Amino acid sequence: MNMYEIIEAKASGRELTSEQIRFTVKGFTDAEIPDYQMSAWLMAVLWRGMSARETSDLTRAMTESGEVVDLSGINGIVSDKHSTGGVGDKTSMALVPLVAACGGKVAKMSGRGLGHTGGTIDKLESIPGFKVELPIDQFIAQVNRIGCAIIGASKNVAPADKKMYALRDVTATVGSIPLMASSIMAKKLASGSDAIVLDVKCGSGAFMKSVDQARILAKAMMSIGIANGKKMAAFITNMDVPLGTAIGNGLEVVEVIETLKGQGPADLTHECLEIGSYLLSLSGFGTPENCYIQAEAALSDGRALKKFAEMIEAQGGDSSVIEDYSILLGNPASIEVRALRDGYITKMDTEKIGMCSVSLGAGRSKITDPLDYHAGITILHKTGDQVKTGDTLAILYAANPDLLEPATDNYLKTLTFGDKMVASEKLVFDILR
Ligand code: URA
C-alpha cells in the first residue's frame, strides 16, 4: 500500500478501504506520510466526500491514535456537550454547572480558541488561579464530588486530529463534512462520556453556513456516536448573530455569571436551558420538557451559580470573581462604535465580528499568540434593532489603545443597515434525537 495510490483513488472518487484509511491516519501521525501528501489527500476528501463507512473508519482510526479516557470511575451517566464553534458562545461555562446543580454528571473536555471562534479553556483561564489541566484521577474525583469539571483535552486525546486539524487550518480543508464529523467525534469518543449533546452552529459566524449543511453534519456525527454506543442529541443553532452580548474572555465569564444570576441575555439563557435539558434527559432525569423545568428551577434559586463557584474553587480559582467583576474586566482602553445613519441593522457578519475581537487581542491568529483577557466587544445592538445616527452600537476594549480605531472601522463594516425592519431569526433551528 502506498500513499500515492490512496490519494489517486480518492481524487478519482473511489471509496477507500478501511485498511487504506488506517494506513493514512497512522502514517501521518507517525510522520511517515509528509504534509504535502496529506494535504493532497485532505483536498481530495473535501472534493469527493466520504461514505458513512469511510467516515466511521476515519473516526475510529483518529480515536485509536491516542488514549481513550476511562471515565467508568464516575458514578452515574456521564454527559458531555460539544459546540462546532461560534462567536460569543460561552454556553458550556454556564451549562456545565447548571446540569450538575440538577444532579447530572458532566466531565467536559474543551479546547482553546483558534481563528474567529473563542475557546472555553481560554475563557476559564481569565479567572485567576483556575487550573485547566488536571490529572485524570483528580478530574474523575471532582466530578464524583461536585458533579462537574471542565479541563483542556489532554495531548494524548486523538493526536492524529491535532496534526490533521493544524494542516486543514492552513490548506482550506476545514469545511469538509466528513473531516469535521470525524475530527469532532474522534475527540468525543476518546473523552469517554456516555451521553453527548452536539451544538452545530449555523450561519455567518459558523463553519456551516446553511441549515441544510448543518443538518447533514449533525446527522453524520449522531450516526458515529450511536454506532459507538453513545446516547446522542444534536442542536442546530443560529450563529448569524453572536450569542449574547459579550465577546472576549473576561467579558464572557462576566456574562456567564450574570446568566447564572438570572440576569443574562435571553438568547444565551434560553440556549443553556434547552441544551441543559437534553443533557439531563439523556442522563435519565426525565423528558427534555420536564428537565427544562428542573434546569429553570436550578437557575432561579441560585443552585447553578453556587455550583459554578464550587467548580471554580475545586479547580484552584478565585470564586470572589462572582461578586466582584473588577479582575475579570480589568481596566482596558475603550471606544464606542457609533451608528453613522438612521435605520435597522439587517445583517451582522459574525465571522468578521469574531475577527475584530481577535484583532483587539481577545483571540489568537497563531497558536503561540498571547491573549489579552480584558480585550473584546460588548454589543449593544443586534440584527433587527432600529438605531439612530450617533447611537452606540458596541463598545470595544483593548489593552493597547492603538488597536481601537482600526477595529472601530472594521466593526462598522460587519454591519448592514436598511430602512425596513427585519424579523429576528430563530435561535434553535432544529433538534435531532
Ligand atoms: N471543531 C473541531 O474540533 N473539528 C473540526 O473539524 C471543526 C470544528
Side-chain angles (χ1 to χ4, degrees), residues 124-173:
L124 285 170
E125 278 185 339
S126 67
I127 302 171
F130 195 99
K131 287 202 282 286
V132 295
E133 280 176 27
L134 294 182
I136 286 297
D137 55 337
Q138 271 183 43
F139 180 57
I140 292 175
Q142 182 177 319
V143 178
N144 272 330
R145 196 170 71 253
I146 68 166
C148 60
I150 306 181
I151 59 170
S154 112
K155 286 190 187 60
N156 300 330
V157 166
D161 175 62
K162 291 204 173 63
K163 271 193 92 178
M164 280 169 67
Y165 194 90
L167 196 55
R168 287 167 59 208
D169 203 29
V170 292
T171 54
T173 50

Short mmCIF file of all heavy atoms in Angstrom, two decimals, residues 124-173:
data_model
loop_
_atom_site.label_atom_id
_atom_site.label_comp_id
_atom_site.label_asym_id
_atom_site.label_seq_id
_atom_site.Cartn_x
_atom_site.Cartn_y
_atom_site.Cartn_z
N LEU A 124 -11.94 30.37 30.68
CA LEU A 124 -11.82 29.99 32.10
C LEU A 124 -10.50 30.46 32.69
O LEU A 124 -10.42 30.78 33.87
CB LEU A 124 -11.97 28.47 32.25
CG LEU A 124 -13.40 27.95 32.11
CD1 LEU A 124 -13.42 26.43 32.02
CD2 LEU A 124 -14.29 28.43 33.25
N GLU A 125 -9.46 30.51 31.85
CA GLU A 125 -8.16 30.95 32.36
C GLU A 125 -8.14 32.44 32.69
O GLU A 125 -7.18 32.90 33.31
CB GLU A 125 -7.05 30.60 31.36
CG GLU A 125 -6.62 29.15 31.51
CD GLU A 125 -5.44 28.76 30.63
OE1 GLU A 125 -5.17 29.44 29.63
OE2 GLU A 125 -4.81 27.74 30.94
N SER A 126 -9.17 33.17 32.31
CA SER A 126 -9.21 34.59 32.72
C SER A 126 -9.61 34.70 34.19
O SER A 126 -9.52 35.77 34.79
CB SER A 126 -10.16 35.39 31.82
OG SER A 126 -11.49 34.97 32.01
N ILE A 127 -10.04 33.58 34.81
CA ILE A 127 -10.33 33.57 36.26
C ILE A 127 -9.01 33.27 36.98
O ILE A 127 -8.41 32.21 36.73
CB ILE A 127 -11.37 32.48 36.60
CG1 ILE A 127 -12.66 32.71 35.81
CG2 ILE A 127 -11.63 32.42 38.09
CD1 ILE A 127 -13.68 31.58 35.92
N PRO A 128 -8.54 34.18 37.85
CA PRO A 128 -7.23 33.96 38.47
C PRO A 128 -7.15 32.60 39.17
O PRO A 128 -8.07 32.24 39.92
CB PRO A 128 -7.13 35.10 39.49
CG PRO A 128 -8.09 36.13 39.02
CD PRO A 128 -9.18 35.42 38.29
N GLY A 129 -6.09 31.87 38.87
CA GLY A 129 -5.83 30.59 39.55
C GLY A 129 -6.50 29.38 38.94
O GLY A 129 -6.17 28.25 39.29
N PHE A 130 -7.46 29.58 38.04
CA PHE A 130 -8.25 28.44 37.53
C PHE A 130 -7.34 27.48 36.75
O PHE A 130 -6.69 27.87 35.78
CB PHE A 130 -9.38 28.93 36.62
CG PHE A 130 -10.42 27.87 36.34
CD1 PHE A 130 -11.61 27.85 37.05
CD2 PHE A 130 -10.20 26.87 35.39
CE1 PHE A 130 -12.57 26.86 36.80
CE2 PHE A 130 -11.15 25.89 35.15
CZ PHE A 130 -12.34 25.89 35.86
N LYS A 131 -7.30 26.20 37.19
CA LYS A 131 -6.42 25.21 36.55
C LYS A 131 -7.21 24.42 35.50
O LYS A 131 -8.23 23.79 35.84
CB LYS A 131 -5.87 24.22 37.58
CG LYS A 131 -4.82 24.83 38.49
CD LYS A 131 -3.94 23.75 39.12
CE LYS A 131 -4.60 23.04 40.27
NZ LYS A 131 -4.70 23.76 41.52
N VAL A 132 -6.73 24.44 34.27
CA VAL A 132 -7.44 23.72 33.21
C VAL A 132 -6.78 22.37 32.91
O VAL A 132 -7.25 21.62 32.08
CB VAL A 132 -7.53 24.56 31.92
CG1 VAL A 132 -8.37 25.79 32.14
CG2 VAL A 132 -6.15 24.91 31.39
N GLU A 133 -5.65 22.12 33.61
CA GLU A 133 -5.01 20.81 33.42
C GLU A 133 -5.07 20.05 34.73
O GLU A 133 -4.48 20.47 35.73
CB GLU A 133 -3.54 21.00 33.01
CG GLU A 133 -3.40 21.33 31.54
CD GLU A 133 -2.00 21.61 31.11
OE1 GLU A 133 -1.06 21.10 31.76
OE2 GLU A 133 -1.85 22.36 30.14
N LEU A 134 -5.83 18.98 34.76
CA LEU A 134 -5.93 18.15 35.96
C LEU A 134 -5.58 16.72 35.56
O LEU A 134 -5.97 16.27 34.48
CB LEU A 134 -7.36 18.12 36.51
CG LEU A 134 -8.00 19.40 37.06
CD1 LEU A 134 -9.41 19.07 37.57
CD2 LEU A 134 -7.17 19.98 38.18
N PRO A 135 -4.86 15.98 36.43
CA PRO A 135 -4.68 14.55 36.14
C PRO A 135 -6.06 13.88 36.11
O PRO A 135 -6.98 14.33 36.81
CB PRO A 135 -3.85 14.05 37.34
CG PRO A 135 -3.35 15.26 38.04
CD PRO A 135 -4.24 16.41 37.68
N ILE A 136 -6.16 12.82 35.29
CA ILE A 136 -7.47 12.19 35.09
C ILE A 136 -8.09 11.72 36.41
O ILE A 136 -9.31 11.86 36.62
CB ILE A 136 -7.37 11.03 34.07
CG1 ILE A 136 -7.21 11.62 32.66
CG2 ILE A 136 -8.57 10.11 34.10
CD1 ILE A 136 -8.38 12.47 32.16
N ASP A 137 -7.28 11.20 37.36
CA ASP A 137 -7.88 10.72 38.62
C ASP A 137 -8.50 11.89 39.40
O ASP A 137 -9.57 11.75 40.00
CB ASP A 137 -6.87 9.92 39.47
CG ASP A 137 -5.61 10.69 39.76
OD1 ASP A 137 -5.30 11.63 38.99
OD2 ASP A 137 -4.94 10.39 40.76
N GLN A 138 -7.87 13.06 39.34
CA GLN A 138 -8.46 14.23 40.03
C GLN A 138 -9.72 14.72 39.32
O GLN A 138 -10.68 15.16 39.94
CB GLN A 138 -7.45 15.38 40.04
CG GLN A 138 -6.53 15.34 41.24
CD GLN A 138 -5.60 16.55 41.22
OE1 GLN A 138 -6.00 17.67 40.93
NE2 GLN A 138 -4.34 16.31 41.51
N PHE A 139 -9.69 14.65 37.99
CA PHE A 139 -10.85 15.03 37.16
C PHE A 139 -12.05 14.16 37.56
O PHE A 139 -13.14 14.65 37.85
CB PHE A 139 -10.44 14.82 35.70
CG PHE A 139 -11.46 15.14 34.64
CD1 PHE A 139 -12.05 16.39 34.54
CD2 PHE A 139 -11.82 14.18 33.68
CE1 PHE A 139 -12.95 16.69 33.52
CE2 PHE A 139 -12.72 14.46 32.66
CZ PHE A 139 -13.28 15.72 32.59
N ILE A 140 -11.81 12.84 37.63
CA ILE A 140 -12.87 11.89 37.98
C ILE A 140 -13.36 12.16 39.41
O ILE A 140 -14.56 12.22 39.68
CB ILE A 140 -12.36 10.44 37.81
CG1 ILE A 140 -12.14 10.15 36.32
CG2 ILE A 140 -13.32 9.42 38.44
CD1 ILE A 140 -11.53 8.80 36.00
N ALA A 141 -12.40 12.36 40.33
CA ALA A 141 -12.77 12.57 41.74
C ALA A 141 -13.62 13.84 41.87
O ALA A 141 -14.61 13.87 42.61
CB ALA A 141 -11.51 12.67 42.60
N GLN A 142 -13.25 14.90 41.12
CA GLN A 142 -14.02 16.15 41.21
C GLN A 142 -15.46 15.97 40.69
O GLN A 142 -16.42 16.47 41.28
CB GLN A 142 -13.30 17.26 40.42
CG GLN A 142 -14.04 18.60 40.51
CD GLN A 142 -13.32 19.73 39.79
OE1 GLN A 142 -12.10 19.84 39.87
NE2 GLN A 142 -14.06 20.58 39.12
N VAL A 143 -15.59 15.24 39.57
CA VAL A 143 -16.94 15.02 39.02
C VAL A 143 -17.76 14.19 40.01
O VAL A 143 -18.94 14.48 40.25
CB VAL A 143 -16.89 14.37 37.62
CG1 VAL A 143 -18.30 14.11 37.10
CG2 VAL A 143 -16.12 15.25 36.64
N ASN A 144 -17.14 13.20 40.66
CA ASN A 144 -17.88 12.43 41.67
C ASN A 144 -18.28 13.29 42.85
O ASN A 144 -19.36 13.15 43.41
CB ASN A 144 -17.03 11.24 42.15
CG ASN A 144 -17.23 10.02 41.27
OD1 ASN A 144 -18.30 9.82 40.68
ND2 ASN A 144 -16.20 9.20 41.15
N ARG A 145 -17.39 14.22 43.24
CA ARG A 145 -17.63 15.03 44.44
C ARG A 145 -18.65 16.15 44.19
O ARG A 145 -19.59 16.31 44.94
CB ARG A 145 -16.30 15.62 44.91
CG ARG A 145 -16.31 16.15 46.34
CD ARG A 145 -14.93 16.50 46.85
NE ARG A 145 -14.39 17.69 46.21
CZ ARG A 145 -13.41 17.72 45.30
NH1 ARG A 145 -12.85 16.59 44.91
NH2 ARG A 145 -12.99 18.84 44.78
N ILE A 146 -18.45 16.92 43.11
CA ILE A 146 -19.34 18.10 42.93
C ILE A 146 -20.21 18.01 41.67
O ILE A 146 -21.03 18.89 41.43
CB ILE A 146 -18.55 19.43 42.93
CG1 ILE A 146 -17.66 19.57 41.69
CG2 ILE A 146 -17.72 19.61 44.20
CD1 ILE A 146 -17.13 20.99 41.47
N GLY A 147 -20.00 16.98 40.85
CA GLY A 147 -20.87 16.79 39.69
C GLY A 147 -20.33 17.34 38.38
O GLY A 147 -20.90 17.07 37.32
N CYS A 148 -19.25 18.13 38.42
CA CYS A 148 -18.76 18.67 37.15
C CYS A 148 -17.30 19.09 37.20
O CYS A 148 -16.76 19.36 38.29
CB CYS A 148 -19.60 19.87 36.71
SG CYS A 148 -19.62 21.24 37.86
N ALA A 149 -16.70 19.16 36.03
CA ALA A 149 -15.34 19.70 35.86
C ALA A 149 -15.17 20.05 34.39
O ALA A 149 -15.79 19.41 33.53
CB ALA A 149 -14.30 18.65 36.27
N ILE A 150 -14.37 21.08 34.13
CA ILE A 150 -14.03 21.41 32.73
C ILE A 150 -12.51 21.49 32.64
O ILE A 150 -11.89 22.29 33.36
CB ILE A 150 -14.63 22.76 32.27
CG1 ILE A 150 -16.14 22.83 32.50
CG2 ILE A 150 -14.29 23.02 30.80
CD1 ILE A 150 -16.80 24.14 32.05
N ILE A 151 -11.94 20.66 31.79
CA ILE A 151 -10.48 20.71 31.61
C ILE A 151 -10.14 20.76 30.12
O ILE A 151 -11.00 20.50 29.28
CB ILE A 151 -9.77 19.49 32.25
CG1 ILE A 151 -10.28 18.18 31.65
CG2 ILE A 151 -9.91 19.50 33.77
CD1 ILE A 151 -9.44 16.95 32.05
N GLY A 152 -8.90 21.09 29.82
CA GLY A 152 -8.45 21.06 28.43
C GLY A 152 -8.19 19.62 28.04
O GLY A 152 -7.74 18.82 28.86
N ALA A 153 -8.49 19.28 26.78
CA ALA A 153 -8.26 17.90 26.33
C ALA A 153 -6.77 17.60 26.40
O ALA A 153 -5.95 18.43 26.03
CB ALA A 153 -8.76 17.74 24.90
N SER A 154 -6.44 16.41 26.92
CA SER A 154 -5.02 16.06 27.06
C SER A 154 -4.39 15.88 25.67
O SER A 154 -5.08 15.60 24.69
CB SER A 154 -4.88 14.80 27.90
OG SER A 154 -4.41 13.73 27.13
N LYS A 155 -3.06 16.03 25.63
CA LYS A 155 -2.33 15.92 24.35
C LYS A 155 -2.52 14.55 23.73
O LYS A 155 -2.41 14.37 22.54
CB LYS A 155 -0.84 16.15 24.59
CG LYS A 155 -0.48 17.57 24.86
CD LYS A 155 1.04 17.74 24.83
CE LYS A 155 1.45 19.13 25.26
NZ LYS A 155 1.02 19.48 26.64
N ASN A 156 -2.82 13.56 24.59
CA ASN A 156 -2.92 12.19 24.09
C ASN A 156 -4.30 11.85 23.54
O ASN A 156 -4.51 10.74 23.09
CB ASN A 156 -2.58 11.20 25.21
CG ASN A 156 -1.18 11.42 25.70
OD1 ASN A 156 -0.35 11.85 24.92
ND2 ASN A 156 -0.94 11.17 26.98
N VAL A 157 -5.27 12.78 23.67
CA VAL A 157 -6.59 12.51 23.12
C VAL A 157 -6.56 12.82 21.62
O VAL A 157 -6.30 13.95 21.22
CB VAL A 157 -7.67 13.35 23.85
CG1 VAL A 157 -8.97 13.34 23.08
CG2 VAL A 157 -7.90 12.80 25.26
N ALA A 158 -6.78 11.79 20.82
CA ALA A 158 -6.82 11.91 19.35
C ALA A 158 -5.68 12.77 18.78
O ALA A 158 -5.94 13.77 18.10
CB ALA A 158 -8.18 12.44 18.90
N PRO A 159 -4.42 12.38 19.02
CA PRO A 159 -3.31 13.20 18.49
C PRO A 159 -3.33 13.31 16.96
O PRO A 159 -2.87 14.31 16.41
CB PRO A 159 -2.04 12.46 18.97
CG PRO A 159 -2.49 11.11 19.37
CD PRO A 159 -3.92 11.21 19.78
N ALA A 160 -3.90 12.31 16.28
CA ALA A 160 -3.99 12.40 14.81
C ALA A 160 -4.80 13.62 14.43
O ALA A 160 -4.48 14.33 13.47
CB ALA A 160 -4.64 11.14 14.25
N ASP A 161 -5.88 13.89 15.19
CA ASP A 161 -6.72 15.04 14.86
C ASP A 161 -5.95 16.35 15.05
O ASP A 161 -6.11 17.28 14.26
CB ASP A 161 -7.99 15.05 15.73
CG ASP A 161 -8.79 16.31 15.47
OD1 ASP A 161 -9.24 16.48 14.32
OD2 ASP A 161 -8.92 17.15 16.38
N LYS A 162 -5.12 16.40 16.09
CA LYS A 162 -4.37 17.65 16.33
C LYS A 162 -3.51 17.98 15.11
O LYS A 162 -3.50 19.10 14.62
CB LYS A 162 -3.49 17.52 17.58
CG LYS A 162 -4.32 17.46 18.83
CD LYS A 162 -3.58 17.92 20.07
CE LYS A 162 -4.56 17.97 21.23
NZ LYS A 162 -5.13 16.67 21.58
N LYS A 163 -2.80 16.95 14.61
CA LYS A 163 -1.94 17.18 13.43
C LYS A 163 -2.77 17.47 12.18
O LYS A 163 -2.45 18.35 11.39
CB LYS A 163 -1.11 15.91 13.15
CG LYS A 163 0.22 15.88 13.88
CD LYS A 163 1.12 14.78 13.32
CE LYS A 163 2.02 15.28 12.20
NZ LYS A 163 2.94 14.26 11.68
N MET A 164 -3.85 16.71 12.03
CA MET A 164 -4.66 16.90 10.81
C MET A 164 -5.36 18.24 10.84
O MET A 164 -5.45 18.93 9.83
CB MET A 164 -5.68 15.77 10.67
CG MET A 164 -5.07 14.50 10.11
SD MET A 164 -6.13 13.07 10.23
CE MET A 164 -7.44 13.48 9.11
N TYR A 165 -5.84 18.64 12.04
CA TYR A 165 -6.56 19.91 12.13
C TYR A 165 -5.63 21.08 11.78
O TYR A 165 -6.02 22.00 11.06
CB TYR A 165 -7.20 20.10 13.52
CG TYR A 165 -8.21 21.23 13.49
CD1 TYR A 165 -9.54 20.96 13.18
CD2 TYR A 165 -7.82 22.53 13.69
CE1 TYR A 165 -10.46 21.98 13.08
CE2 TYR A 165 -8.74 23.56 13.60
CZ TYR A 165 -10.06 23.28 13.30
OH TYR A 165 -10.97 24.31 13.18
N ALA A 166 -4.38 21.00 12.28
CA ALA A 166 -3.42 22.08 12.02
C ALA A 166 -3.18 22.19 10.51
O ALA A 166 -3.09 23.30 9.96
CB ALA A 166 -2.11 21.80 12.75
N LEU A 167 -3.12 21.05 9.83
CA LEU A 167 -2.90 21.08 8.37
C LEU A 167 -4.16 21.56 7.64
O LEU A 167 -4.08 22.34 6.68
CB LEU A 167 -2.51 19.66 7.91
CG LEU A 167 -1.89 19.51 6.55
CD1 LEU A 167 -0.64 20.39 6.41
CD2 LEU A 167 -1.50 18.05 6.29
N ARG A 168 -5.32 21.13 8.11
CA ARG A 168 -6.58 21.58 7.48
C ARG A 168 -6.73 23.09 7.59
O ARG A 168 -7.21 23.75 6.67
CB ARG A 168 -7.77 20.88 8.15
CG ARG A 168 -7.90 19.42 7.78
CD ARG A 168 -8.88 18.72 8.69
NE ARG A 168 -10.19 19.32 8.65
CZ ARG A 168 -11.06 19.29 9.66
NH1 ARG A 168 -10.75 18.70 10.80
NH2 ARG A 168 -12.23 19.84 9.54
N ASP A 169 -6.30 23.60 8.75
CA ASP A 169 -6.45 25.03 9.01
C ASP A 169 -5.70 25.87 7.98
O ASP A 169 -6.10 26.98 7.67
CB ASP A 169 -5.89 25.29 10.43
CG ASP A 169 -6.46 26.54 11.04
OD1 ASP A 169 -7.61 26.87 10.69
OD2 ASP A 169 -5.78 27.17 11.85
N VAL A 170 -4.58 25.34 7.45
CA VAL A 170 -3.79 26.13 6.51
C VAL A 170 -3.93 25.64 5.06
O VAL A 170 -3.26 26.14 4.17
CB VAL A 170 -2.28 26.15 6.91
CG1 VAL A 170 -2.07 26.93 8.19
CG2 VAL A 170 -1.71 24.74 7.04
N THR A 171 -4.80 24.67 4.81
CA THR A 171 -4.98 24.19 3.43
C THR A 171 -6.43 24.33 2.98
O THR A 171 -6.85 23.70 2.01
CB THR A 171 -4.55 22.70 3.29
OG1 THR A 171 -5.26 21.93 4.27
CG2 THR A 171 -3.07 22.51 3.50
N ALA A 172 -7.20 25.17 3.70
CA ALA A 172 -8.60 25.45 3.33
C ALA A 172 -9.42 24.17 3.22
O ALA A 172 -10.25 24.03 2.32
CB ALA A 172 -8.65 26.25 2.04
N THR A 173 -9.18 23.22 4.15
CA THR A 173 -9.95 21.98 4.12
C THR A 173 -10.73 21.75 5.42
O THR A 173 -11.18 20.64 5.68
CB THR A 173 -9.03 20.75 3.83
OG1 THR A 173 -7.92 20.79 4.72
CG2 THR A 173 -8.53 20.76 2.40
#
